[in-house]
Amino acid sequence: MTHTDSYSIYPIRHHGPGSARSVERALAANPPDVLLVEGPADADALLPFLNSPELEAPVALMAHVQGEPERAVFYPLAAFSPEFVAFRWALERGISARFMDLPASMTLATVTGPTDLEAPEAPPSPDSAAPDAPGPEADPETSSEPALRADPLAVLAQAAGFTDFERWWESLVEARGDDAATFEAVAEVMAAVREEQTAGERDGLREAHMRQTIREVLKAGQRVAVVCGAWHAPALTAEVLEREKKADSLLIQQHLKAVPKVKAALTLVPWTHGRLTMQSGYGAGVQSPGWYAHLFADRPHVSAEWLTRSARLLREHKLDASSAQVIDAVRLSEALAAIRGLGLPGLPELTDATRSIFAWESDLPLRLLDEKLLVGERLGSVPEGVPAVPLAQDLAAAQKRLRLKVEATAREQVLDLREDTDLSRSQLFHRLTLLGIPWAKETAVRGAGTFKEGWSLRWEPEFAVRVVEASRYGNTLVRAANSYAAGLARRAATLNELSELLEVTRLSNLPGAARVALKALDVRAAAASDVSELLGALPPLARLARYGDVRSRGSDDPTPVFRALVARAGANLPNAALGLALEAAQVIQKNVAKADAAVSLLQDEASRAEWLAALHALDAQDDAHPLLHGDAVRRLRDHALLGEDAVRERMALALAATRDPASVSAWLERLSGRRRLAAAARPRPAGTA
């Protein structure tokens, strides 16, 4: 029994628009004093934010262990989720509303590792919010749970001959004309299903906790409405509440003693439609969030409007899609539904009609519609004041101050670093990248000059976890990035790591971390002897010294360290050029080229003198690898330190008959700087022009 004068149960499908509309109508027809919804009982403080006009679904409740943000679980809510709709209905009318499932602190006690949403081997954290899906301990790829347990209502729809669950629900509601009766029927079917299957240990614990919460409210003499996953409805009836009273109390006490105590922090974070799909690994995921959002809008002509939207989108991307084709597609979808014995076309029928009418032999229209319409990628937003770590608040303030829109789809931006706002944006992006929050990824930019940067911005929900993780380093982005970069400098094992880190601190405007890295670089350079490592550290230092006043504004002058590195590399370069294989010589040559460019960029006379002395010493090294010797001769010529006569003398020695062809080729290649010019330098036969 699912309905009495004081107690009603509404079994729903998670993220089902038909269920959402039915719940809203049922609550309006029989208003409760208290609404109880499946979800973490310790998240009640966040409920008022769900009714904020500033909140835009999809969002997710995020719970993590304080001090261990990698141990996190998510409870997603879309605009068409019955739980979200029920809460908003109650909050708008001042009706008391609560969660009734296991507290997140108890759920997190069993989550022992990182919950990477992308990794199938990791515990699928969103499933903790999916009562009809495997719990956090289960792997959606390998779970042995039968399909009926994973999504029982979808299986019932298929048994009724429907390929689209939501259209089956609509047909069921229309046939009965009574939402309460529909929920009653679903509960009866679920009771029959559960007779054939045993609920798991975790389900038993969750249902015991839900029953305890329901009993507390009923004991106060209040009318209660319960919104829960269809699978749990038979376990929450009035008869079971009475029968399992003592057993529930004992089970919960045993569990509390068995699991470790953890302190959970809860907040609301933006979510995306993409993360609601089954393809994302979400156990309670749906096939097409965009289609469900379309259905939830309760449009009078669902099929026609969907196909009209499809045609409009195709035309926006310069693809053929006429009004006549829309009419043909609507008729075809209805014919397909009739052939398949369906009362209404569902998404499969509409997709088949789209493929036949719009796609022809190309799959481009379907790929476009899949991304833009079927998934309908959308990023939710949460209102100001939602509990969050200070670092997240600082990031939100920076995004608002710099007028940066947070979106789920990629947005390209080209920054002009001569402008203060764009320079601040660049520094923000580099700081986030340093902290492992790649909201913005650097892209190539056409044109000359160093004052432009290209970025591609796309926000992913899991970045919320990374922000919490990064908060251990500081409460603001500047402090966190400085602290994290300084730690990297202290742990760096090579000069290259330190020099690259210095480049990051320059781009991120982190003078504090730059000083730590520069000091560590100075200490390590004094003991370094590897020429490639020494040469490779020069370019970032040159950029830091040359552009530091523009980008970093106040960092220590790295020129003394640069000079020391040039001197040490120059002293070791001639000996390093001896007895090398071709591959090793090519590595050193590439680093020589970078170092030469770095010296030219810095325009420091002391460094230039040290570097040219090193090239002269390499030129004088007769046994140096031909590739490096030819390269040194060319650079000295280009610096106007070797005349044409001197170059011809060295060429004569390099082309001597005693030299092997490979050595000659290597020397000529580097002298010219281009392979195609090597042939032009070979001696010509007598009599040719």
Side-chain angles (χ1 to χ4, degrees), residues 15 17 42 123 130 168 209 253 313 368 454-455 469 541 615 620-621 682:
H15 314 307
D42 45 0
W168 169 74
H209 191 280
Q253 288 299 322
L313 180 62
L368 178 63
W455 295 89
E469 289 176 342
L541 277 174
L615 292 178
Q621 185 69 266
R682 295 193 185 104

Side-chain angles (χ1 to χ4, degrees), residues 76-434:
L77 295 168
F80 47 80
S81 299
E83 302 94 331
F84 180 75
V85 171
F87 272 132
R88 278 207 157 176
W89 181 90
L91 292 168
E92 287 172 358
R93 290 158 179 78
I95 294 174
S96 175
R98 295 169 53 186
F99 283 114
M100 63 175 180
D101 206 342
L102 282 178
S105 58
M106 295 178 71
T107 300
L108 287 167
T110 62
V111 177
T112 57
T115 55
D116 186 342
L117 299 181
E118 299 293 339
E121 68 273 11
S125 55
D127 291 347
S128 60
D132 289 345
E137 299 85 6
D139 184 335
E141 301 292 333
T142 60
S143 175
S144 59
E145 296 279 8
L148 185 57
R149 169 66 183 89
D151 195 347
L153 295 183
V155 175
L156 292 178
Q158 293 174 7
F162 283 77
T163 55
D164 186 336
F165 162 82
E166 289 304 324
R167 303 315 293 268
W168 169 74
W169 183 277
E170 288 187 8
S171 176
L172 183 67
V173 173
E174 289 171 0
R176 290 180 174 271
D178 184 344
D179 291 298
T182 299
F183 287 123
E184 186 84 23
V186 170
E188 290 177 3
V189 173
M190 287 297 100
V193 170
R194 287 185 62 130
E195 289 178 1
E196 302 296 325
Q197 298 188 40
T198 303
E201 180 180 347
R202 175 171 172 76
D203 272 345
L205 179 63
R206 293 176 61 200
E207 290 166 356
H209 191 280
M210 286 190 271
R211 287 193 293 265
Q212 286 282 64
T213 305
I214 295 169
R215 291 187 190 101
E216 292 174 6
V217 179
L218 288 174
K219 188 176 180 180
Q222 296 175 302
R223 291 172 298 166
V224 179
V226 167
V227 176
C228 64
W231 175 260
H232 300 294
L236 304 180
T237 61
E239 294 84 352
V240 179
L241 288 176
E242 183 63 30
R243 187 180 69 233
E244 301 294 331
K245 186 174 182 180
K246 292 183 179 179
D248 289 347
S249 179
L250 180 61
L251 179 61
I252 293 172
Q253 288 299 322
Q254 289 175 341
H255 181 73
L256 287 173
K257 293 179 181 179
V259 300
K261 302 295 187 295
V262 298
K263 192 171 183 180
L266 292 96
T267 186
L268 282 169
V269 297
W271 208 246
T272 65
H273 274 179
R275 284 292 189 270
L276 290 171
T277 61
M278 291 181 289
Q279 291 81 358
S280 70
Y282 176 28
V286 297
Q287 180 183 358
S288 172
W291 167 245
Y292 278 16
H294 180 80
L295 288 177
F296 184 64
D298 200 16
R299 302 173 186 273
H301 307 289
V302 172
S303 299
E305 293 189 28
W306 177 260
L307 291 168
T308 300
R309 289 178 61 193
S310 300
R312 187 179 299 119
L313 180 62
L314 293 175
R315 287 195 295 269
E316 288 174 359
H317 288 79
K318 311 302 181 184
L319 296 173
D320 290 336
S322 66
S323 299
Q325 287 176 304
V326 172
I327 295 172
D328 289 342
V330 171
R331 290 172 176 170
L332 180 56
S333 67
E334 292 173 348
L336 288 171
I339 292 172
R340 295 167 181 174
L342 306 176
L344 295 167
L347 183 59
E349 289 71 43
L350 293 169
T351 301
D352 288 344
T354 300
R355 181 182 292 107
S356 298
I357 302 299
F358 296 118
W360 293 86
E361 297 179 356
S362 171
D363 62 347
L364 177 60
L366 287 178
R367 290 204 311 268
L368 178 63
L369 293 174
D370 181 66
E371 177 186 356
K372 302 291 185 181
L373 201 60
L374 294 177
V375 174
E377 192 59 282
R378 181 182 302 170
L379 178 69
S381 61
V382 298
E384 294 183 5
V386 169
V389 294
L391 183 63
Q393 296 173 0
D394 185 58
L395 173 58
Q399 290 167 335
K400 184 176 181 179
R401 183 178 68 255
L402 297 175
R403 302 188 300 278
L404 292 168
K405 192 173 182 180
V406 180
E407 298 174 294
T409 53
R411 175 185 287 269
E412 306 299 323
Q413 280 209 345
V414 176
L415 304 181
D416 185 340
L417 303 182
R418 297 169 297 183
E419 301 291 336
D420 286 343
T421 298
D422 277 1
L423 180 59
S424 296
R425 289 170 176 169
S426 170
Q427 291 166 354
L428 171 66
F429 297 158
H430 283 292
R431 288 168 188 167
L432 290 173
T433 302
L434 172 65

Side-chain angles (χ1 to χ4, degrees), residues 486-675:
L488 290 179
R490 296 185 184 98
R491 297 189 299 273
T494 67
L495 283 175
N496 286 342
E497 289 180 31
L498 286 167
S499 62
E500 289 172 2
L501 181 60
L502 270 172
E503 179 83 340
V504 172
T505 62
R506 175 180 73 88
L507 298 172
S508 304
N509 190 15
L510 302 172
R515 284 190 287 270
V516 175
L518 193 60
K519 183 177 180 180
L521 182 66
D522 193 14
V523 171
R524 188 169 294 278
S529 59
D530 183 88
V531 168
S532 290
E533 186 179 11
L534 289 163
L535 294 174
L538 293 175
L541 277 174
R543 289 191 291 269
L544 179 62
R546 182 66 185 275
Y547 302 124
D549 289 340
V550 176
R551 298 300 306 265
S552 295
R553 294 179 180 172
S555 61
D556 290 354
D557 183 12
T559 304
V561 178
F562 185 90
R563 291 171 184 163
L565 285 174
V566 170
R568 194 167 186 83
N572 290 316
L573 181 58
N575 288 335
L578 301 176
L580 294 176
L582 178 60
E583 292 78 7
Q586 288 172 336
V587 171
I588 293 180
Q589 187 277 320
K590 289 178 181 177
N591 284 313
V592 166
K594 293 177 182 177
D596 189 70
V599 171
S600 298
L601 174 67
L602 186 57
Q603 297 180 359
D604 175 64
E605 287 302 321
S607 299
R608 184 174 185 274
E610 290 282 0
W611 179 243
L612 294 178
L615 292 178
H616 276 300
L618 182 58
D619 171 41
Q621 185 69 266
D622 293 336
D623 296 333
H625 192 284
L627 190 76
L628 296 175
H629 189 268
D631 187 72
V633 171
R634 180 175 71 86
R635 295 186 188 284
L636 289 170
R637 181 199 63 192
D638 293 346
H639 285 291
L641 296 176
L642 281 181
E644 291 300 322
D645 291 341
V647 172
R648 278 194 288 269
E649 289 176 6
R650 286 158 174 76
M651 181 181 292
L653 291 174
L655 300 181
T658 56
R659 301 281 187 177
D660 64 274
S663 297
V664 172
S665 176
W667 196 93
L668 288 173
E669 174 190 327
R670 291 318 310 158
L671 177 69
S672 65
R674 299 180 182 177
R675 289 180 181 272

